[in-house]
Amino acid sequence: MFGSKKEKRFEEISVQHYQYGLIMLLVDTETGVNYMHAWTPQGISLTPLLDENGDVVVSNR
C-alpha cells in the first residue's frame, strides 16, 4: 500500500475547456479502451468513445 508505486490505470489524452466545463479523453492503460469524460456544473458523464461505425475506440497498448 504505502511503499509500492502503482502505474495509473487511466491516462489523459486530451483536455478541453468547453463553455463552463471540461471534456477529457481518457485511455484505460490495461485494456486500451478510450473514454470521454465530461464535467459541467450540472453533472458529469463517462462513456466509451465510439468511432464512425459505432464501435468502441481501442488504442494500441
Side-chain angles (χ1 to χ4, degrees):
M1 182 168 131
F2 288 106
S4 62
K5 206 169 197 183
K6 191 174 180 182
E7 294 291 323
K8 289 183 179 181
R9 173 79 187 252
F10 294 94
E11 182 180 323
E12 291 178 2
I13 298 173
S14 172
V15 177
Q16 293 183 357
H17 295 273
Y18 180 73
Q19 294 180 352
Y20 297 105
L22 292 172
I23 296 176
M24 292 182 271
L25 296 182
L26 307 170
V27 65
D28 183 333
T29 59
E30 291 185 18
T31 64
V33 174
N34 288 247
Y35 295 92
M36 183 179 71
H37 176 246
W39 176 90
T40 67
Q42 293 80 21
I44 61 171
S45 65
L46 179 69
T47 186
L49 190 63
L50 304 178
D51 66 11
E52 62 275 359
N53 298 318
D55 298 322
V56 176
V57 175
V58 179
S59 298
N60 294 332
R61 293 180 276 151

